[in-house]
Amino acid sequence: MQHLVELRGRLLLSLAVLVAAFFVCYYFVQPILAVLVQPLLAAGQGKLIYTDVFEAFWVRVKVALFAALMVCFPVFAIQIWRFVAPGLYAKEKWALLPFLLATPLFFGGGACFAYFVAMPWALHFLLGFEGDVGGVQQEALPAIGNYLSFVTRFLFGFGVAFLLPILLMVMERAGLVTREQLAAKRRYAIVGAFAIAAVLTPPDAISQFMLAVPLYALYELAILAIRLTHWRESRRSAASSSTVVEVAQTQVGPETPPGGGRVGGSGPM
């Protein structure tokens, strides 16, 4: 019951912070929307429409909630850590803390890659079907709700995909996989990277390559990081063992003199 009460308190605190952040983000929803539509402007589309009466309002609510979740992620991570950390040994805490700190960095890197690189290419491809089709003028008029779904899918998809090295390192630390197994499954990793890219990106080869290539590079980065971690641990263990040997050698006393060191003994003196 004590753990459940603590969990309830931390969930209520996280919810209160999320609600406060939501209202703050809703106050600044217009500048946030202005940032999200920049890739669309870069692709040459300067108009967004809405066909439902409530669509524009609900888009602002979703944008505010999306921004609040992004802003409150460190608070959620801290609350989860404070709830889990008392049940861990000191070695386990030091083993999991780097992964917890690296998670927002990798997620933010994936979201930035999607915003600055992948989304402009995808929008150029998807908006490139405008023109004359059999004498009929075809024009792209994206709805604001569909565009928001497109943006959030790209940002969350790329952000979660860039967490692959952390996931692999945690699985290796937990003993679920080994570095040798990861190195032997490279061909399957390539197929999996392209399969994930086919799901998360539009159906064009350029967008799929733009996600599949970084995914496989992150897979290789995870293998390299695991190898470096094992190398550092082996060096530490070797250094600690050599220190123990030196301490043991310094604690050995001088040799016993002839006669056992006894006064008046039977030695040659």
Side-chain angles (χ1 to χ4, degrees):
M1 288 300 299
Q2 184 178 1
H3 291 296
L4 292 177
V5 170
E6 182 184 1
L7 179 61
R8 183 186 64 180
R10 298 198 181 278
L11 289 177
L12 290 176
L13 177 61
S14 301
L15 183 61
V17 173
L18 179 62
V19 171
F22 169 78
F23 284 106
V24 173
C25 292
Y26 190 82
Y27 181 78
F28 295 100
V29 70
Q30 200 69 21
I32 297 173
L33 270 173
V35 172
L36 294 179
V37 299
Q38 292 306 309
L40 189 64
L41 286 175
Q45 180 67 31
K47 183 183 291 186
L48 281 173
I49 66 171
Y50 64 95
T51 57
D52 191 1
V53 177
F54 295 100
E55 185 176 5
F57 169 74
W58 285 115
V59 163
R60 280 161 171 75
V61 172
K62 292 177 182 178
V63 168
L65 182 59
F66 172 75
L69 288 172
M70 300 287 285
V71 170
C72 294
F73 178 79
V75 178
F76 300 155
I78 291 173
Q79 295 303 316
I80 293 173
W81 175 254
R82 288 183 176 178
F83 180 74
V84 176
L88 301 176
Y89 294 106
K91 183 183 293 186
E92 294 173 343
K93 291 181 182 179
W94 286 108
L96 291 177
L97 188 59
F99 301 115
L100 184 63
L101 296 177
T103 297
L105 297 178
F106 276 82
F107 185 88
C112 291
F113 181 83
Y115 182 83
F116 291 105
V117 180
M119 285 176 55
W121 276 97
L123 288 172
H124 273 292
F125 171 79
L126 296 174
L127 298 177
F129 295 98
E130 291 183 318
D132 184 77
V133 181
V136 177
Q137 188 68 22
Q138 184 171 268
E139 183 180 2
L141 293 175
I144 187 171
N146 293 334
Y147 178 73
L148 178 63
S149 300
F150 171 82
V151 171
T152 53
R153 181 175 129 185
F154 257 74
L155 294 180
F156 271 112
F158 275 74
V160 173
F162 272 57
L163 296 179
L164 178 65
I166 299 177
L167 176 62
L168 292 178
M169 293 184 70
V170 170
M171 291 175 62
E172 192 274 337
R173 185 62 62 92
L176 300 177
V177 295
T178 61
R179 181 176 61 85
E180 291 76 13
Q181 291 176 344
L182 293 176
K185 303 296 183 182
R186 282 188 169 96
R187 65 183 72 178
Y188 301 104
I190 296 175
V191 176
F194 276 93
I196 295 174
V199 174
L200 295 179
T201 59
D204 64 296
I206 296 178
S207 299
Q208 293 179 9
F209 269 95
M210 291 175 65
L211 179 57
V213 173
L215 270 180
Y216 182 70
L218 291 172
Y219 185 86
E220 293 291 341
L221 178 63
I223 296 177
L224 179 61
I226 292 172
R227 181 177 298 176
L228 291 176
T229 303
H230 288 179
W231 177 72
R232 289 181 60 184
E233 290 179 353
S234 62
R235 288 198 62 180
R236 287 178 182 176
S237 61
S240 62
S241 61
S242 62
T243 303
V244 171
V245 171
E246 291 176 359
V247 171
Q249 289 177 353
T250 56
Q251 290 178 350
V252 176
E255 295 183 359
T256 304
R262 293 179 288 108
V263 178
S266 57
M269 301 297 296

